[in-house]
Amino acid sequence: MTEDRIICGCNDVHRSTIENAIKDKGLQTSQQIIEELYVRKACGACEDDVREILTEVKGN
Ligand code: FES
């Protein structure tokens, strides 16, 4: 099982929150995740991680 680490430290968003939002809300793009969860709104360092998670979840 993957560790539920913080992906966006600026907004305290965990990996599980992003995964659940993709699955439950049917989010299709990183932009939708950004708007829905308020990630990547500050420093932007989490952008690559958000994309990776999206690819992983959609690939399953
Ligand atoms: S880590 Fe997500 S905006 Fe800074």
Side-chain angles (χ1 to χ4, degrees), residues 31-56:
Q31 190 60 38
Q32 288 175 330
I33 296 168
I34 289 161
E35 286 168 13
E36 184 75 27
L37 299 176
Y38 298 98
V39 297
R40 208 219 63 185
K41 296 266 188 188
C43 74
C46 55
E47 183 165 5
D48 286 349
D49 284 341
V50 169
R51 279 217 196 89
E52 247 173 55
I53 294 167
L54 181 65
T55 302
E56 280 177 34

Side-chain angles (χ1 to χ4, degrees), residues 14-42:
H14 285 77
R15 183 186 170 95
S16 63
T17 305
I18 296 174
E19 284 183 357
N20 290 338
I22 294 167
K23 291 175 189 162
D24 298 344
K25 299 173 191 244
L27 304 181
Q28 298 288 321
T29 66
S30 54
Q31 190 60 38
Q32 288 175 330
I33 296 168
I34 289 161
E35 286 168 13
E36 184 75 27
L37 299 176
Y38 298 98
V39 297
R40 208 219 63 185
K41 296 266 188 188

